[in-house]
Amino acid sequence: MSHPVAEERPVEHGDALNLVRAAIAEAPGPDAAAQRAVEILRDRFHHYDWVGIYWLDPSGTDLVLGPWIGPEPTEHTRIPLGTGICGAAAASGQTEIVNDVDADPRYLACFSSTRSEIVVPIFADGQVVGEIDIDGSDRDAYDQTDARFLEEVAALLAPFRPRP
Ligand code: SME
């Protein structure tokens, strides 16, 4: 039996999208909106161990860490475009799913517990303006369902990018 595309999104993703929409609508400002979004993502999905948003610096050369939530801070608060998984996703505009960070030479290590990572670009006016970066403690933690879901979250976050 075939299903309409709208029914292919798992219920928990639809619920989380609605929570993010509501939180963003109620947030007192852009930083609070993005902070609530990362909190909701980490709360709702046990395989999202560390969730952060990097915004592209106005110069366009570096990603700068914005709101994040997780067990510990990262030392990578500024990442040049093209460096690491984060810099690769921002440079290409493609979602990156890394099933085993130890096998990816681009990987910039943040946490000893990380085994896999997903990075989803945030676009505004057709340009990358930032990205959602999520680390997981299991190998193969992320798949195309996560990618499509997080691309929808990324679209919700785009209006909250820092403006000069
Ligand atoms: N692992 C990332 C760096 C950011 S930390 O995961 C928070 C990378 O390879 O770009």
Side-chain angles (χ1 to χ4, degrees):
M1 203 170 92
S2 68
H3 296 274
V5 168
E7 288 183 12
E8 287 176 8
R9 181 198 294 136
V11 171
E12 65 270 26
H13 289 117
D15 288 351
L17 272 179
N18 286 336
L19 280 177
V20 171
R21 276 195 199 96
I24 279 173
E26 289 163 12
D31 288 347
Q35 184 70 48
R36 279 297 292 137
V38 298
E39 289 167 4
I40 290 166
L41 291 175
R42 185 162 186 269
D43 271 4
R44 303 289 289 197
F45 299 98
H46 64 87
H47 59 314
Y48 294 0
D49 290 306
W50 188 96
V51 182
I53 296 173
Y54 285 89
W55 297 113
L56 194 61
D57 181 83
S59 68
T61 58
D62 290 314
L63 293 157
V64 179
L65 185 62
W68 65 273
I69 185 162
E72 41 180 328
T74 174
E75 67 188 64
H76 298 295
T77 54
R78 181 172 277 270
I79 300 175
L81 211 63
T83 299
I85 313 296
C86 287
S92 69
Q94 305 283 323
T95 291
E96 290 278 352
I97 294 176
V98 177
N99 294 320
D100 178 1
V101 294
D102 296 324
D104 193 320
R106 301 169 304 171
Y107 175 64
L108 284 178
C110 288
F111 318 111
S112 59
S113 58
T114 299
R115 289 288 150 293
S116 50
E117 181 162 5
I118 182 167
V119 184
V120 177
I122 300 171
F123 291 91
D125 304 323
Q127 304 290 317
V128 174
V129 294
E131 61 192 22
I132 302 169
D133 175 28
I134 301 181
D135 286 35
S137 49
D138 293 323
R139 285 203 172 85
D140 301 307
Y142 308 117
D143 61 16
Q144 292 302 319
T145 305
D146 295 290
R148 299 293 90 77
F149 163 64
L150 291 168
E151 284 160 8
E152 291 190 79
V153 176
L156 294 177
L157 290 172
F160 299 98
R161 65 193 181 279
R163 316 270 185 133

Coordinates of all heavy atoms in Angstrom, one line a residue, residues 50 54 74 76 79 83-87 106-111 114 117 119 133 135, ligand 1:
W50 N 24.7 15.7 22.0 CA 25.1 17.0 22.0 C 24.5 17.7 20.8 O 24.7 17.2 19.7 CB 26.6 17.1 22.0 CG 27.2 18.5 22.2 CD1 27.7 18.9 23.4 CD2 27.4 19.5 21.3 NE1 28.2 20.2 23.3 CE2 28.0 20.6 21.9 CE3 27.2 19.6 19.9 CZ2 28.4 21.8 21.3 CZ3 27.5 20.8 19.3 CH2 28.1 21.9 20.0
Y54 N 25.8 26.3 14.8 CA 26.9 27.2 14.4 C 26.3 28.2 13.4 O 25.5 27.8 12.5 CB 28.0 26.4 13.8 CG 28.9 25.7 14.7 CD1 28.6 24.4 15.0 CD2 30.1 26.2 15.2 CE1 29.4 23.6 15.9 CE2 30.9 25.5 16.1 CZ 30.6 24.2 16.4 OH 31.4 23.5 17.3
T74 N 32.3 22.4 24.0 CA 33.3 22.1 23.0 C 34.3 23.2 22.9 O 34.0 24.4 23.1 CB 32.7 21.9 21.6 OG1 33.7 21.7 20.6 CG2 31.9 23.1 21.1
H76 N 35.7 23.7 20.1 CA 35.6 24.2 18.7 C 34.5 25.2 18.6 O 33.4 24.9 18.1 CB 35.4 23.1 17.8 CG 36.5 22.1 17.7 ND1 37.8 22.4 17.3 CD2 36.6 20.8 18.1 CE1 38.6 21.4 17.4 NE2 37.9 20.4 17.9
I79 N 35.0 27.6 13.8 CA 35.6 26.6 12.8 C 35.6 27.2 11.4 O 34.6 27.7 10.9 CB 34.6 25.3 12.8 CG1 34.5 24.7 14.2 CG2 35.1 24.3 11.7 CD1 33.5 23.5 14.2
T83 N 36.8 23.3 7.2 CA 37.5 22.5 8.2 C 36.5 21.6 8.9 O 35.4 22.1 9.3 CB 38.2 23.4 9.1 OG1 39.2 24.1 8.4 CG2 38.9 22.6 10.2
G84 N 36.8 20.3 9.2 CA 36.0 19.4 10.0 C 34.7 19.1 9.2 O 34.5 19.5 8.0
I85 N 33.9 18.3 9.8 CA 32.6 17.9 9.3 C 31.7 19.1 9.1 O 31.0 19.3 8.2 CB 31.9 16.8 10.1 CG1 32.8 15.7 10.6 CG2 30.6 16.3 9.4 CD1 33.3 14.8 9.5
C86 N 31.8 20.0 10.2 CA 31.0 21.2 10.2 C 31.4 22.1 9.0 O 30.5 22.6 8.3 CB 31.2 21.9 11.5 SG 30.4 21.1 12.9
G87 N 32.7 22.3 8.9 CA 33.1 23.2 7.8 C 32.8 22.6 6.4 O 32.5 23.4 5.5
R106 N 38.3 13.9 8.1 CA 37.9 15.4 8.3 C 37.5 15.7 9.7 O 37.5 16.9 10.1 CB 36.7 15.7 7.4 CG 37.0 15.5 5.9 CD 35.7 15.6 5.1 NE 34.6 14.7 5.6 CZ 33.4 14.7 5.3 NH1 32.9 15.5 4.4 NH2 32.5 13.8 5.8
Y107 N 37.2 14.7 10.5 CA 36.5 14.9 11.8 C 37.4 15.7 12.8 O 38.6 15.3 13.0 CB 36.2 13.5 12.4 CG 35.7 13.5 13.8 CD1 34.4 14.2 14.1 CD2 36.4 13.0 14.9 CE1 33.9 14.2 15.4 CE2 35.9 13.0 16.2 CZ 34.7 13.7 16.4 OH 34.2 13.7 17.7
L108 N 36.8 16.7 13.4 CA 37.5 17.5 14.4 C 36.9 16.9 15.7 O 35.7 17.1 16.0 CB 37.1 18.9 14.3 CG 37.7 19.8 13.3 CD1 37.0 21.2 13.5 CD2 39.2 19.9 13.5
A109 N 37.8 16.3 16.5 CA 37.3 15.7 17.8 C 36.9 16.7 18.8 O 37.6 17.7 19.1 CB 38.3 14.8 18.3
C110 N 35.7 16.5 19.4 CA 35.2 17.4 20.5 C 35.1 16.6 21.8 O 35.6 17.1 22.8 CB 33.9 18.0 20.1 SG 33.9 19.3 18.9
F111 N 34.4 15.5 21.7 CA 34.1 14.7 22.9 C 34.6 13.3 22.7 O 34.4 12.7 21.6 CB 32.6 14.7 23.2 CG 32.0 16.0 22.9 CD1 31.1 16.2 21.9 CD2 32.3 17.1 23.8 CE1 30.6 17.5 21.7 CE2 31.8 18.3 23.6 CZ 30.9 18.5 22.5
T114 N 32.0 10.7 21.4 CA 31.3 10.8 20.1 C 31.7 9.6 19.2 O 32.9 9.4 19.0 CB 31.6 12.1 19.4 OG1 31.1 13.2 20.3 CG2 30.9 12.2 18.1
E117 N 28.0 11.5 13.8 CA 27.7 13.0 13.8 C 26.8 13.2 12.6 O 27.0 12.6 11.6 CB 29.0 13.8 13.7 CG 28.8 15.3 13.7 CD 30.1 16.0 14.0 OE1 31.2 15.4 14.2 OE2 30.0 17.3 14.1
V119 N 25.4 16.8 10.5 CA 25.5 18.3 10.4 C 24.6 18.7 9.2 O 24.7 18.2 8.1 CB 26.9 18.7 10.1 CG1 27.0 20.3 10.0 CG2 27.9 18.2 11.1
D133 N 24.5 21.0 14.4 CA 25.5 19.9 14.5 C 25.1 19.1 15.7 O 24.8 19.6 16.8 CB 26.8 20.6 14.8 CG 27.9 19.6 15.1 OD1 27.8 18.4 14.6 OD2 28.9 19.9 15.9
D135 N 26.0 15.4 17.8 CA 26.9 14.3 18.1 C 26.2 13.2 18.8 O 25.4 13.4 19.7 CB 28.1 14.8 18.9 CG 29.1 15.7 18.2 OD1 28.6 16.4 17.3 OD2 30.3 15.6 18.5
Ligands
SME1 N1 33.1 17.4 15.1 C1 32.9 18.6 14.5 C2 33.3 19.8 15.3 C3 32.3 20.3 16.2 S1 32.0 19.4 17.6 O1 31.4 18.1 17.2 C4 30.9 20.1 18.6 C5 33.6 18.6 13.1 O2 34.2 17.7 12.8 O3 33.5 19.6 12.4

